[in-house]
Amino acid sequence: MQTTINPNHKYIESVCSKCPGTHWGKSAKCRIHDMHIGKISSCQQWDDKEAEQWIDDDGQLALTNLEPVLELLHVAQDQLDGYYWMTQQIEKLRSKIQSGLGSNDDVAAGTAQYGIEATLPKARGRNSDPVFREARNNLQAWERLNRRVKRFEDKVKRVDAFAEKNNLSEKEQIVLEGIMDGQKMKDIAKEIGVSRTRAQELKNKVVNDLAWAIYDEEKKKEKALS
């Protein structure tokens, strides 16, 4: 009788033996799948190849350490994918701010008259002034738009800094710059002469490196505050 080797035996040895599902290797039955580990044909941990990213902590997989790593990857992905859109939004918001939010002359005059005081509590009766109320609303809207611009600018500057200084290959750099320019992945793949699948793999590498850059940036901020 021919013996069949489970193709996932490498994961059984490296992952299951350190997983709480088998009580860290003390049981041959996985509590998560409710079956013998030798009969398990697929596992989310294997499919995602998370075993390669887990951190060994005293012989046990420190699962909680994955959370900040995955969060950074999501942040990097969102900021890279949203880069082109954010640059467009910054220009639109700046134009809106400079145009005075489309306010009329009376509202603009009211803003100039009341200034920052428009956001402070007033004596009874004064808030009935329609010009004052409009000026206050106008100022609050102006402040909201400025905060939004600042958030977008911080994210854009982060990606810009990464694009200027990184360890990417030439093709990875082209993928990065193409995404920043708003190109579609199929067009980027065609430009560098690879399949869309390969282009996506290159993008994943870019995202991973950007995540590390964000991690280093956050650590520097923490160190500066300590």
Side-chain angles (χ1 to χ4, degrees):
M1 181 177 179
Q2 185 177 3
T3 302
T4 302
I5 299 177
N6 190 322
N8 294 310
H9 67 89
K10 60 180 180 180
Y11 292 127
I12 293 176
E13 294 176 359
S14 62
V15 179
C16 297
S17 63
K18 299 178 182 179
C19 177
T22 62
H23 201 63
W24 295 279
K26 294 181 180 179
S27 173
K29 182 178 180 180
C30 177
R31 292 180 294 176
I32 298 174
H33 294 278
D34 194 28
M35 66 174 65
H36 191 283
I37 57 176
K39 295 182 179 180
I40 300 174
S41 59
S42 65
C43 177
Q44 184 65 44
Q45 316 305 337
W46 303 344
D47 295 341
D48 296 341
K49 297 183 180 180
E50 291 180 352
E52 298 175 0
Q53 303 177 38
W54 286 351
I55 301 172
D56 194 285
D57 183 15
D58 295 330
Q60 298 178 2
L61 291 178
L63 301 180
T64 55
N65 290 334
L66 275 178
E67 295 179 4
V69 174
L70 295 176
E71 178 62 26
L72 281 178
L73 287 173
H74 287 312
V75 170
Q77 177 92 45
D78 289 343
Q79 293 189 4
L80 180 58
D81 288 341
Y83 178 91
Y84 182 70
W85 175 81
M86 286 189 290
T87 57
Q88 292 181 311
Q89 288 299 305
I90 289 172
E91 292 303 317
K92 291 180 181 179
L93 291 170
R94 283 175 176 169
S95 177
K96 191 172 184 179
I97 291 171
Q98 291 173 358
S99 66
L101 305 172
S103 59
N104 55 37
D105 293 339
D106 290 338
V107 174
T111 303
Q113 175 184 351
Y114 297 112
I116 193 63
E117 293 180 0
T119 62
L120 302 177
K122 301 299 178 182
R124 186 174 182 179
R126 187 175 180 182
N127 284 344
S128 63
D129 183 344
V131 176
F132 166 78
R133 290 200 307 271
E134 194 67 25
R136 180 186 58 191
N137 294 337
N138 193 54
L139 179 61
Q140 290 174 340
W142 180 85
E143 290 174 338
R144 284 196 300 271
L145 290 181
N146 272 281
R147 287 195 297 269
R148 193 182 308 168
V149 169
K150 180 64 167 57
R151 290 197 303 271
F152 288 160
E153 285 180 336
D154 288 343
K155 295 175 181 179
V156 165
K157 288 178 181 178
R158 172 181 280 169
V159 178
D160 283 338
F162 174 72
E164 289 293 326
K165 186 178 181 180
N166 57 61
N167 295 317
L168 298 176
S169 67
E170 184 62 30
K171 288 186 176 180
E172 290 166 351
Q173 183 70 24
I174 293 175
V175 170
L176 168 61
E177 293 174 356
I179 295 173
M180 293 171 66
D181 291 338
Q183 288 183 266
K184 295 181 179 180
M185 287 303 297
K186 64 177 183 179
D187 296 327
I188 297 175
K190 185 177 181 180
E191 179 179 345
I192 59 180
V194 300
S195 66
R196 292 180 64 177
T197 300
R198 177 55 182 158
Q200 184 61 47
E201 292 174 351
L202 294 173
K203 178 186 176 182
N204 291 342
K205 174 61 165 55
V206 172
V207 171
N208 288 340
D209 283 16
L210 176 57
W212 276 112
I214 295 173
Y215 174 81
D216 290 340
E217 178 185 328
E218 295 299 326
K219 284 299 180 182
K220 288 179 181 178
K221 289 181 180 179
E222 291 178 6
K223 186 176 181 180
L225 294 175
S226 61

